Amino acid sequence: MGKKTAAIVGFSEWKPQKKWPTSMFSLEAMAQLAAETLADAKFEKHEIDGIVIGGVPESPVFAPSAVAEYLNLQTSFNEIVDLGGASPAGMIWRAAAAIEVGVCESVLVLCPGVPSPSYRDAKSKLLPTMIYMGGDAWGSPQSQWEIPVGLVAAVPSYAMAAQRYRAIYGYDEEILAKISVQHRDNAQANPNAIFYGKPITVDDVMISRYVADPIKLLEIVMPCDGGGAMLITSAERATRTPHRPTFVSGYGEFMTHKSITNMPDFLHSPLAAASERAFRMAGMRREEIDLACLYDSFTITVLLAIEGAGFCKPGQGQAFVREHDLRYHGDWPLNTHGGQLSFGQPRLAGGLSHFIEATRQIQGRADARQIAHCDRAFCSGSGGMLSEQIAVILEGA
Amino acid sequence: MMLAYAENGRPLPLVAPISQPFFDAAREQKLLLQKCPRDGFFFYPRSHCPHCLKTDWSWQPARASGKVYSFTIERMGQDPSQRARIPFVIAVVDLDEGVRIIGNIVDCAHEDVRVSMAVNVCFEIIDNMPLTCFRSVSAT
């Protein structure tokens, strides 16, 4: 089997909320997430010698040192990861790799997702940068050809991938709707999910309005506030933690473009190359996976991820979804927490939620939605316009 | 330098020096593409050929015809500056020269747009700035 040198031993996850009741500086949120994660793993703060973050609004440059200083940590591994929605996946494997090469022993991965008061003043300036994906700067190709014709944010890009899928393979909107519905069903067993208590049917999805054809409203993530963190440590230290060590046993990352216009083939995601590497590193076959936690920004993202990760051949994703039950009690459990589609997408922590759920299932901490047998989970991260693609395989000790 | 907006609120291309010839030609409804003597045409304008990173490329007139690779009908208007014109069609088109470019499909009913539809490139001029558009060949 795969590498058993770095393991996830604890985490913290905040219940997503549509609107966080108070604003909180991201440094404050990181301190709180760190405290909760250390408590979960029964670790002392002085044992931490690495941090990985996705950014600090209060300190856009020198960000890792701002965090180390605020938490009063002495660290030998400091990293900021800029891979959009795939950032948490990138943070996790970079932390594991740092432990494997021996530059540090215990790394905190911190993903606050609450409104920071430091954003408020800059809001009018930040909003365009966010919807333009940072492409509105002078000299950027997006500022010359894409933003002027209306290609902004993620929906139209993913819609073009879906439209291409429709033209090449055919497209059954009810099958895509099933992906949304079964994510929502999983959320009915997760009291922390933003759509807990709010099941939907295929008809609900079918009659929801088109946002960018062929993507409908109920096929899109629910952006919200929240947060998450993880602690990754060496195999040796992992043995003395209260939870089953969850090894980062294989990983891969692949990227080919920024804007969807420049994606070589809309139907062949860079996830394929990332997954090949991850499975090879873990020494595992697809059939040995007990749980899939796939980044789900849209239903088409899930469909392309099932194919890209090699769980079926390209073009056969719809047949795969038709033939399988994706619920926590089904034959091919997927995003048992509800995914970002139904658990919610608490900003950067949305991409971490897949890893927290996989860890929770492997550690036997998933309560009502615990799957019967969970030793191995495949997780993916997807950032940008199907650009930054990451595959990580987790395995219980 | 930041994005400039037309009188009707739409963002205009923020032209970089390397792409000035493209926009000057486009203003005259002509499509120019860069061509590398070894690797052929490429898009978008760049200082170095994206295949070999050499700089001996030249501007060449293009046929301005191609086929729709994919498209969507944008209905949400997440960009406030584009909201007034929703719904509109965004398409990526594979040109005969082998490169892919993006623009809006105009003068074609939204429900008639298809992947593989043959189109010609044209430019909509707003505030003297050209924005890339496509017209269905069968409609012209």
Side-chain angles (χ1 to χ4, degrees):
Chain A
M1 280 296 151
K3 296 177 179 228
K4 299 219 165 177
T5 40
I8 299 164
V9 291
F11 57 81
S12 166
E13 185 168 73
W14 292 350
K15 181 179 164 62
Q17 299 188 40
K18 212 129 192 211
K19 216 171 165 44
W20 209 252
T22 53
S23 66
M24 196 174 185
F25 284 108
S26 80
L27 288 168
E28 296 169 349
M30 286 191 201
Q32 179 61 26
L33 286 165
E36 292 175 10
T37 304
L38 289 171
D40 183 52
K42 299 261 185 299
F43 255 60
E44 301 294 332
K45 185 171 80 69
H46 66 81
E47 296 177 276
I48 301 300
D49 58 359
I51 45 170
V52 195
I53 53 168
V56 181
E58 298 90 51
S59 179
V61 292
F62 304 113
S65 62
V67 177
E69 177 191 280
Y70 201 83
L71 304 186
N72 188 26
L73 292 169
Q74 287 78 50
T75 46
S76 52
F77 177 65
N78 306 286
E79 175 84 316
I80 178 164
V81 178
D82 179 15
L83 295 171
S87 298
M91 291 155 89
I92 286 161
W93 83 250
R94 282 164 176 74
I99 293 164
E100 283 159 17
V101 298
V103 296
C104 63
E105 214 169 343
S106 302
V107 184
L108 274 173
V109 169
L110 301 168
C111 297
V114 290
S116 169
S118 57
Y119 268 130
R120 203 168 293 150
D121 297 336
K123 200 181 167 193
S124 58
K125 225 169 69 183
L126 271 170
L127 180 73
T129 301
M130 290 304 290
I131 59 168
Y132 297 153
M133 300 289 171
D136 54 332
W138 194 38
S140 135
Q142 285 170 268
S143 70
Q144 299 174 74
W145 288 278
E146 304 206 329
I147 295 169
V149 301
L151 186 76
V152 305
V155 189
S157 290
Y158 283 79
M160 284 199 283
Q163 193 72 258
R164 180 80 191 165
Y165 198 104
R166 177 196 294 267
I168 301 302
Y169 298 127
Y171 193 81
D172 184 338
E173 296 194 6
E174 294 198 359
I175 287 292
L176 275 292
K178 178 186 173 184
I179 295 174
S180 273
V181 169
Q182 296 209 320
H183 276 74
R184 191 64 70 92
D185 288 341
N186 283 340
Q188 302 321 303
N190 182 2
N192 276 345
I194 202 147
F195 286 121
Y196 178 69
K198 291 176 182 162
I200 52 170
T201 65
V202 167
D203 282 346
D204 292 332
V205 181
M206 293 297 285
I207 61 170
S208 68
R209 67 185 173 88
Y210 285 107
V211 173
D213 304 33
I215 292 181
K216 301 193 195 75
L217 187 64
L218 289 183
E219 295 181 278
I220 303 177
V221 283
M222 172 48 77
C224 56
D225 297 333
M230 267 188 165
L231 175 57
I232 303 174
T233 192
S234 62
E236 190 200 357
R237 284 200 198 177
T239 56
R240 60 171 174 80
T241 60
H243 309 297
R244 182 187 189 193
T246 303
F247 289 102
V248 182
S249 65
Y251 42 81
E253 178 171 313
F254 202 62
M255 184 165 74
T256 56
H257 61 281
K258 179 186 183 189
S259 157
I260 192 92
T261 316
N262 304 299
M263 183 170 180
D265 179 341
F266 286 11
L267 304 184
H268 289 89
S269 145
L271 184 60
S275 303
E276 277 307 315
R277 188 182 294 269
F279 276 106
R280 202 168 55 240
M281 194 186 293
M284 231 177 263
R285 289 174 294 120
R286 268 73 173 176
E287 310 82 68
E288 294 177 292
I289 293 297
D290 302 312
L291 168 69
C293 287
L294 305 178
Y295 193 93
D296 56 328
S297 42
F298 305 95
T299 52
I300 185 69
T301 322
V302 176
L303 194 67
L304 290 175
I306 290 172
E307 295 182 8
F311 292 110
C312 67
K313 292 198 168 69
Q316 294 182 0
Q318 294 178 105
F320 187 90
V321 171
R322 190 183 296 114
E323 288 157 14
H324 290 286
D325 185 339
L326 312 176
R327 295 173 293 180
Y328 63 93
H329 47 73
D331 64 314
W332 204 76
L334 167 70
N335 292 342
T336 44
H337 62 314
Q340 296 180 102
L341 288 164
S342 278
F343 169 77
Q345 182 181 50
R347 307 177 190 211
L348 203 55
L352 190 68
S353 74
H354 303 89
F355 290 85
I356 291 179
E357 178 67 7
T359 303
R360 199 186 261 128
Q361 290 281 2
I362 288 171
Q363 295 181 342
R365 305 165 73 188
D367 302 326
R369 63 183 187 281
Q370 180 66 47
I371 65 177
H373 173 89
C374 193
D375 290 329
R376 301 177 191 102
F378 176 89
C379 302
S380 74
S382 174
M385 306 302 125
L386 285 163
S387 355
E388 299 110 344
Q389 299 288 311
I390 296 176
V392 178
I393 293 169
L394 303 181
E395 188 178 3
Chain B
M1 207 178 291
M2 284 167 63
L3 285 177
Y5 294 84
E7 247 175 63
N8 67 6
R10 285 186 62 180
L12 298 170
L14 184 50
V15 179
I18 194 77
S19 39
Q20 192 65 53
F22 173 92
F23 287 97
D24 288 345
R27 211 173 268 118
E28 312 296 323
Q29 298 294 333
K30 293 191 183 90
L31 177 65
L32 283 188
L33 293 175
Q34 287 167 297
K35 188 179 184 189
C36 165
R38 288 160 302 277
D39 301 310
F41 289 96
F42 59 92
F43 188 79
Y44 41 84
R46 291 175 236 205
S47 58
H48 293 64
C49 166
H51 302 287
C52 62
L53 293 182
K54 292 206 165 58
T55 55
D56 54 345
W57 48 264
S58 59
W59 286 105
Q60 298 288 331
R63 291 181 57 191
S65 54
K67 286 194 164 70
V68 172
Y69 179 78
S70 196
F71 70 97
T72 187
I73 306 169
E74 163 67 25
R75 298 178 188 273
M76 181 168 60
Q78 201 163 336
D79 184 349
S81 64
Q82 301 279 5
R83 213 164 278 159
R85 66 187 192 109
I86 53 171
F88 58 89
V89 178
I90 305 169
V92 282
V93 165
D94 284 338
L95 295 177
D96 295 345
E97 285 80 8
V99 299
R100 194 176 294 163
I101 71 172
I102 187 162
N104 296 133
I105 293 188
V106 294
D107 297 344
C108 178
H110 293 171
E111 61 272 20
D112 292 340
V113 180
R114 294 281 181 276
V115 168
S116 298
M117 183 171 95
V119 292
N120 289 323
V121 178
C122 56
F123 295 94
E124 189 180 352
I125 313 293
I126 299 179
D127 284 10
N128 203 33
M129 281 303 298
L131 278 67
T132 310
C133 295
F134 309 107
R135 279 204 175 89
S136 166
V137 169
S138 60
T140 51

